[in-house]
Amino acid sequence: MSWTRGLLALLAVCVLLVTGSVSCGTSGTQEHKDGQSVSPVGKVLDDTDHEGRHYREVDKGNAPVVGIEVQPNTDDSWSVRLTVENFTFSAAGAKAKAVPGRGAAVLFVDDRPVTTLRDPAYRLPAAYVPQGTHKVTARLYADDGTVWAVEGEPVESTADVTASEPQSTASTGGSSESPSAASTDGGASAPPSAASTGGGR
């Protein structure tokens, strides 16, 4: 009889554990009365970027910051370098979960996505920057695909770059134009860097 009582007690404990895990096993996301999701890692807003990714609002004091520097290379490609604060690049294949200050940067040229960056350096092929002036933007995303945001604006940085077609020496008298990069502040402060650095939030 004692072993039967022990077995029944063990079964009762197992039922309690299973019941507890079912009732407590939530994603950590709660629903506000206004329909907005609230997460331990900021608040997911209704606003989205042009790719349809929702903004994840975080306090300015703890928010990630990104700056971008774009410089021309001799082969007509462009050297892109990001500087970040309060942010760590996640490895490829990271779990699709928002973690404070972690994620990836997506690089855009004139609002068209080019690549996802998992480290701060990238060589932008010349084909993405034809003759003329273009905006090169780095925007920070959490690993769940949401956009890090502060005060309703995405955490991003933009640099203006101008690509010029090389001119022949016959038409220019020996001179040629070279690509250049100019800065734009993106509406917020960024870590200090070279003149071609765009500001970031």
Side-chain angles (χ1 to χ4, degrees), residues 1-29:
M1 290 294 291
S2 62
W3 66 268
T4 306
R5 288 178 187 166
L7 181 59
L8 289 175
L10 181 61
L11 287 174
V13 170
C14 290
V15 168
L16 285 173
L17 289 175
V18 170
T19 305
S21 65
V22 170
S23 62
C24 299
T26 63
S27 66
T29 301

Side-chain angles (χ1 to χ4, degrees), residues 123-149:
R123 179 183 168 276
L124 180 63
Y128 288 103
V129 189
Q131 184 179 10
T133 300
H134 305 275
K135 292 186 180 298
V136 181
T137 301
R139 182 177 300 148
L140 299 185
Y141 291 77
D143 288 321
D144 66 349
T146 54
V147 184
W148 292 114

Side-chain angles (χ1 to χ4, degrees), residues 95-108:
K95 187 175 179 180
K97 177 182 177 182
V99 176
R102 294 191 69 90
V106 175
L107 193 69
F108 299 85

Side-chain angles (χ1 to χ4, degrees), residues 69-94:
E69 180 180 350
V70 185
Q71 294 289 343
N73 295 322
T74 56
D75 62 355
D76 292 334
S77 67
W78 297 81
S79 177
V80 178
R81 181 159 293 276
L82 307 184
T83 53
V84 294
E85 294 179 7
N86 301 328
F87 186 79
T88 302
F89 289 97
S90 297

